[in-house]
Amino acid sequence: MERMTWSAEDYKYIDEKYYAGFEGEEEYVFFTCDEKGIRWGYGIWDGYLGAVVDGIKPEEYGFIGLQLYYHVDMLNEELCPDDVYEFKDPVTVYRQLAAVDKTKLRFLPKSGEVLDVLKKLFRDAAETGKPVCVYYF
């Protein structure tokens, strides 16, 4: 992946609703680009994302998709240059998210809302073929 830079302009279309109040703690910015190349997406507090990931049932053979990123890949400098990770298989991530029982998540109702926005983001990516990336900091 080419080196990705961030500026104040990049945050113009990032909805920080799910990070507000947690400034200074870990944040994940899930984003995609529209037809004009404008990045848009959601800033999400680690607690909400962790609750969603905990709701995903592991596969028999181990972590894949969002679980793999959250527990393993985000720590890999080769896979996440500049702390940016591109999900190569949004269909799998969408399938994982669609199977989560929202009523059992910690930090409800916000974690349930995060689940819904991530499902929409990954479903749209699966349908359009556009990549979804996450910037961790």
Side-chain angles (χ1 to χ4, degrees):
M1 174 179 282
E2 68 186 55
R3 185 172 179 83
M4 196 166 287
T5 59
W6 286 85
S7 68
E9 186 65 21
D10 289 313
Y11 285 95
K12 187 174 180 180
Y13 302 102
I14 302 297
D15 185 342
E16 292 284 341
K17 174 181 178 179
Y18 304 110
Y19 186 67
F22 297 101
E23 289 79 4
E25 296 188 30
E26 293 177 330
E27 179 181 14
Y28 298 82
V29 177
F30 284 81
F31 67 94
T32 190
C33 296
D34 68 9
E35 295 76 26
K36 297 178 184 175
I38 296 173
R39 297 178 195 159
W40 66 271
Y42 304 93
I44 300 171
W45 172 56
D46 179 53
Y48 296 146
L49 182 61
V52 169
V53 171
D54 288 348
I56 298 171
K57 292 185 174 103
E59 303 288 334
E60 276 184 40
Y61 45 86
F63 293 142
I64 63 168
L66 189 55
Q67 281 182 321
L68 181 63
Y69 162 74
Y70 189 79
H71 292 299
V72 179
D73 286 353
M74 73 175 231
L75 304 173
N76 184 321
E77 286 294 321
E78 265 183 52
L79 295 173
C80 296
D82 305 315
D83 298 318
V84 177
Y85 181 85
E86 180 179 341
F87 289 92
K88 304 288 186 190
D89 186 4
V91 173
T92 295
V93 177
Y94 174 72
R95 181 183 51 77
Q96 288 180 316
L97 295 171
V100 170
D101 181 352
K102 187 190 304 190
T103 65
K104 295 183 179 179
L105 297 180
R106 292 175 293 131
F107 307 121
L108 287 171
K110 290 285 190 180
S111 60
E113 293 175 25
V114 166
L115 174 62
D116 290 340
V117 298
L118 289 176
K119 281 194 312 192
K120 181 178 179 348
L121 185 66
F122 281 95
R123 183 186 64 234
D124 291 351
E127 291 173 356
T128 64
K130 292 182 183 174
V132 173
C133 297
V134 61
Y135 178 58
Y136 166 76
F137 56 103

